[in-house]
Coordinates of all heavy atoms in Angstrom, one line a residue:
S1 N -16.2 -45.2 -155.2 CA -15.1 -44.7 -154.3 C -13.9 -45.7 -154.2 O -12.7 -45.4 -154.1 CB -15.6 -44.4 -152.9 OG -16.4 -43.3 -152.8
I2 N -14.4 -46.9 -154.2 CA -13.3 -48.0 -154.3 C -12.4 -47.9 -155.5 O -11.3 -48.1 -155.5 CB -14.0 -49.4 -154.2 CG1 -14.7 -49.6 -153.0 CG2 -13.1 -50.6 -154.5 CD1 -15.6 -50.8 -152.8
Q3 N -13.1 -47.8 -156.7 CA -12.4 -47.6 -157.9 C -11.4 -46.4 -157.9 O -10.3 -46.5 -158.4 CB -13.3 -47.6 -159.1 CG -12.6 -47.6 -160.4 CD -11.8 -48.7 -160.7 OE1 -12.2 -49.9 -160.4 NE2 -10.5 -48.7 -161.0
S4 N -12.0 -45.4 -157.4 CA -11.2 -44.1 -157.3 C -10.0 -44.1 -156.3 O -8.9 -43.7 -156.6 CB -12.1 -42.9 -156.8 OG -11.2 -41.7 -156.5
S5 N -10.1 -45.0 -155.3 CA -9.0 -45.3 -154.3 C -7.9 -46.1 -155.0 O -6.7 -45.8 -154.9 CB -9.7 -45.9 -153.2 OG -8.5 -46.3 -152.3
I6 N -8.4 -47.2 -155.8 CA -7.4 -47.9 -156.4 C -6.8 -47.2 -157.6 O -5.5 -47.4 -157.7 CB -8.2 -49.2 -157.1 CG1 -8.8 -50.0 -156.0 CG2 -7.4 -49.9 -158.0 CD1 -9.6 -51.2 -156.6
D7 N -7.5 -46.4 -158.3 CA -6.8 -45.6 -159.2 C -5.7 -44.6 -158.8 O -4.6 -44.4 -159.2 CB -7.7 -44.7 -160.0 CG -8.7 -45.7 -161.0 OD1 -8.3 -46.8 -161.2 OD2 -9.8 -45.1 -161.4
N8 N -6.1 -44.0 -157.6 CA -5.2 -43.1 -157.0 C -3.9 -43.9 -156.4 O -2.8 -43.3 -156.6 CB -5.9 -42.5 -155.7 CG -4.9 -41.6 -154.9 OD1 -4.6 -40.5 -155.5 ND2 -4.5 -41.9 -153.8
Y9 N -4.1 -45.1 -156.0 CA -2.9 -45.9 -155.5 C -2.1 -46.4 -156.7 O -0.8 -46.2 -156.7 CB -3.5 -47.1 -154.7 CG -2.3 -48.1 -154.3 CD1 -1.5 -47.7 -153.2 CD2 -2.1 -49.3 -155.0 CE1 -0.6 -48.6 -152.8 CE2 -1.1 -50.1 -154.5 CZ -0.5 -49.9 -153.5 OH 0.6 -50.6 -153.0
M10 N -2.7 -46.7 -157.8 CA -1.9 -47.0 -159.1 C -1.2 -45.9 -159.6 O -0.2 -46.1 -160.2 CB -2.8 -47.5 -160.1 CG -3.6 -48.9 -159.7 SD -2.4 -50.2 -159.3 CE -1.8 -50.6 -161.0
D11 N -1.7 -44.7 -159.3 CA -0.9 -43.4 -159.8 C 0.1 -43.0 -158.8 O 0.8 -42.0 -159.1 CB -2.0 -42.3 -160.0 CG -2.9 -42.5 -161.2 OD1 -2.5 -43.4 -162.1 OD2 -4.0 -42.0 -161.2
G12 N 0.4 -43.8 -157.8 CA 1.4 -43.4 -156.9 C 1.0 -42.8 -155.6 O 1.9 -42.6 -154.7
G13 N -0.3 -42.6 -155.5 CA -0.7 -42.0 -154.2 C -1.0 -43.0 -153.0 O -0.7 -44.3 -153.3
K14 N -1.5 -42.6 -151.9 CA -1.7 -43.5 -150.9 C -3.1 -44.1 -151.1 O -4.0 -43.6 -151.8 CB -1.8 -42.7 -149.5 CG -0.4 -42.2 -149.0 CD -0.7 -41.5 -147.7 CE 0.6 -41.0 -147.2 NZ 0.6 -40.3 -145.9
L15 N -3.2 -45.4 -150.5 CA -4.4 -46.2 -150.7 C -5.5 -45.7 -149.7 O -5.2 -46.0 -148.5 CB -4.1 -47.8 -150.4 CG -5.3 -48.6 -150.7 CD1 -5.7 -48.5 -152.2 CD2 -4.9 -50.1 -150.3
R16 N -6.3 -44.9 -150.2 CA -7.4 -44.3 -149.2 C -8.4 -45.3 -148.8 O -8.8 -46.4 -149.6 CB -8.0 -43.1 -149.8 CG -7.0 -42.1 -150.2 CD -7.9 -40.9 -150.7 NE -9.0 -41.2 -151.7 CZ -8.8 -41.1 -153.0 NH1 -7.6 -40.6 -153.5 NH2 -9.8 -41.3 -153.8
G17 N -9.0 -45.2 -147.6 CA -10.1 -46.1 -147.2 C -11.4 -45.7 -147.9 O -11.5 -44.5 -148.3
A18 N -12.1 -46.7 -148.3 CA -13.4 -46.5 -149.0 C -14.6 -47.0 -148.2 O -15.5 -47.4 -148.9 CB -13.2 -46.9 -150.5
S19 N -14.5 -47.2 -147.0 CA -15.6 -47.8 -146.3 C -16.8 -46.9 -146.1 O -16.7 -45.6 -145.8 CB -15.1 -48.1 -144.8 OG -14.2 -49.2 -144.8
T20 N -18.0 -47.4 -146.4 CA -19.2 -46.7 -146.3 C -19.7 -46.6 -144.9 O -19.2 -47.3 -143.9 CB -20.3 -47.4 -147.2 OG1 -20.5 -48.7 -146.7 CG2 -19.8 -47.4 -148.6
I21 N -20.7 -45.9 -144.7 CA -21.4 -45.9 -143.3 C -21.9 -47.2 -143.0 O -21.8 -47.7 -141.8 CB -22.3 -44.8 -143.2 CG1 -21.8 -43.3 -143.1 CG2 -23.4 -45.0 -142.0 CD1 -22.7 -42.2 -143.3
S22 N -22.4 -47.8 -143.9 CA -23.0 -49.1 -143.7 C -21.9 -50.2 -143.3 O -22.0 -50.9 -142.3 CB -23.7 -49.6 -145.0 OG -24.8 -48.8 -145.4
Q23 N -20.6 -50.2 -143.9 CA -19.6 -51.0 -143.6 C -19.1 -50.7 -142.3 O -18.8 -51.6 -141.4 CB -18.5 -50.8 -144.6 CG -18.8 -51.5 -145.9 CD -17.7 -51.2 -146.9 OE1 -17.6 -50.2 -147.7 NE2 -16.7 -52.0 -147.0
Q24 N -19.1 -49.4 -141.9 CA -18.5 -49.0 -140.5 C -19.5 -49.5 -139.4 O -19.2 -50.0 -138.4 CB -18.5 -47.6 -140.5 CG -17.3 -47.0 -141.3 CD -17.0 -45.5 -141.2 OE1 -16.7 -44.9 -140.2 NE2 -17.0 -44.8 -142.4
V25 N -20.8 -49.4 -139.7 CA -21.8 -50.0 -138.7 C -21.6 -51.5 -138.4 O -21.6 -51.9 -137.4 CB -23.2 -49.7 -139.1 CG1 -24.3 -50.5 -138.4 CG2 -23.5 -48.2 -139.1
A26 N -21.4 -52.1 -139.7 CA -21.3 -53.6 -139.6 C -20.0 -53.9 -138.8 O -20.0 -54.9 -138.0 CB -21.2 -54.2 -141.1
K27 N -19.0 -53.2 -139.1 CA -17.6 -53.5 -138.3 C -17.7 -53.2 -136.9 O -17.2 -54.0 -136.0 CB -16.7 -52.7 -139.1 CG -15.2 -52.7 -138.5 CD -14.2 -52.1 -139.4 CE -14.5 -50.6 -139.6 NZ -13.6 -49.9 -140.4
N28 N -18.2 -51.9 -136.5 CA -18.2 -51.5 -135.2 C -19.2 -52.2 -134.4 O -18.9 -52.4 -133.1 CB -18.4 -50.0 -135.2 CG -17.2 -49.1 -135.7 OD1 -16.1 -49.7 -135.9 ND2 -17.5 -48.0 -136.2
L29 N -20.3 -52.5 -134.9 CA -21.5 -53.2 -134.1 C -21.2 -54.6 -133.8 O -21.4 -55.1 -132.8 CB -22.7 -53.0 -134.8 CG -24.1 -53.4 -134.1 CD1 -24.2 -52.6 -132.7 CD2 -25.2 -53.2 -134.9
F30 N -20.6 -55.4 -134.9 CA -20.6 -57.0 -134.7 C -19.2 -57.3 -134.6 O -19.0 -58.5 -134.2 CB -21.2 -57.5 -136.0 CG -22.7 -57.2 -136.1 CD1 -23.2 -56.4 -137.2 CD2 -23.7 -57.6 -135.1 CE1 -24.4 -55.9 -137.2 CE2 -24.9 -57.4 -135.2 CZ -25.5 -56.5 -136.4
L31 N -18.2 -56.6 -135.0 CA -16.8 -57.2 -135.2 C -15.7 -56.4 -134.4 O -16.0 -55.3 -133.9 CB -16.4 -57.2 -136.7 CG -17.4 -57.9 -137.6 CD1 -17.1 -57.7 -139.1 CD2 -17.4 -59.4 -137.3
T32 N -14.6 -57.0 -134.3 CA -13.4 -56.4 -133.7 C -12.6 -55.6 -134.7 O -12.7 -55.9 -136.0 CB -12.5 -57.3 -132.9 OG1 -11.8 -58.2 -133.9 CG2 -13.3 -58.1 -132.1
P33 N -11.7 -54.6 -134.4 CA -10.9 -53.9 -135.5 C -9.8 -54.7 -136.0 O -8.9 -54.1 -136.7 CB -10.6 -52.7 -134.6 CG -10.4 -53.1 -133.3 CD -11.6 -54.1 -133.1
S34 N -9.7 -56.0 -135.7 CA -8.5 -56.7 -136.2 C -8.6 -56.8 -137.8 O -9.7 -56.7 -138.4 CB -8.5 -58.1 -135.7 OG -9.7 -58.8 -136.0
K35 N -7.5 -57.0 -138.5 CA -7.4 -57.0 -140.0 C -7.1 -58.3 -140.3 O -6.0 -58.9 -140.0 CB -6.5 -56.0 -140.4 CG -6.8 -54.5 -140.2 CD -5.8 -53.6 -140.9 CE -6.3 -52.1 -140.6 NZ -5.2 -51.2 -141.2
S36 N -8.0 -59.1 -141.0 CA -7.8 -60.4 -141.7 C -8.8 -60.5 -142.6 O -9.9 -60.0 -142.8 CB -7.8 -61.4 -140.6 OG -9.2 -61.5 -140.2
F37 N -8.6 -61.6 -143.6 CA -9.6 -61.9 -144.6 C -10.9 -62.4 -144.0 O -11.9 -62.2 -144.6 CB -8.9 -62.9 -145.6 CG -7.9 -62.3 -146.5 CD1 -6.6 -62.7 -146.3 CD2 -8.2 -61.4 -147.5 CE1 -5.5 -62.2 -147.1 CE2 -7.2 -60.9 -148.3 CZ -5.9 -61.3 -148.2
V38 N -10.8 -63.2 -142.9 CA -12.0 -63.7 -142.4 C -12.8 -62.6 -141.8 O -14.0 -62.5 -142.0 CB -11.6 -64.6 -141.1 CG1 -12.9 -65.0 -140.4 CG2 -10.8 -65.9 -141.7
R39 N -12.2 -61.5 -141.1 CA -13.0 -60.5 -140.5 C -13.6 -59.5 -141.7 O -14.7 -59.1 -141.6 CB -12.1 -59.6 -139.7 CG -12.8 -58.6 -138.8 CD -12.2 -57.3 -138.5 NE -11.8 -56.6 -139.7 CZ -12.6 -55.7 -140.3 NH1 -13.8 -55.5 -139.8 NH2 -12.3 -55.2 -141.4
K40 N -12.8 -59.4 -142.8 CA -13.3 -58.7 -143.9 C -14.4 -59.4 -144.6 O -15.5 -58.7 -144.9 CB -12.2 -58.5 -145.0 CG -12.6 -57.3 -146.0 CD -12.6 -56.0 -145.3 CE -12.9 -54.9 -146.3 NZ -13.0 -53.5 -145.7
G41 N -14.3 -60.7 -144.5 CA -15.6 -61.5 -145.1 C -16.8 -61.3 -144.4 O -17.9 -61.0 -144.9
L42 N -16.7 -61.3 -143.0 CA -17.6 -61.1 -142.0 C -18.3 -59.7 -142.1 O -19.5 -59.5 -142.0 CB -17.2 -61.4 -140.5 CG -17.0 -62.9 -140.3 CD1 -16.3 -62.9 -138.9 CD2 -18.2 -63.7 -140.3
E43 N -17.4 -58.7 -142.3 CA -17.9 -57.4 -142.6 C -18.7 -57.2 -143.8 O -19.8 -56.6 -143.8 CB -16.7 -56.4 -142.7 CG -17.0 -54.9 -142.9 CD -15.8 -54.1 -143.1 OE1 -14.8 -54.3 -142.6 OE2 -15.9 -53.3 -144.1

């Protein structure tokens, strides 16, 4: 899904989210919705 999202973006489309259910659990259970490289690393 990540590769598909990147390909779609390179073809001029919008960059779609490719978060899995596991990633969403990690993000919602342990982290805040802020966007940063540190938060992404923790996710």
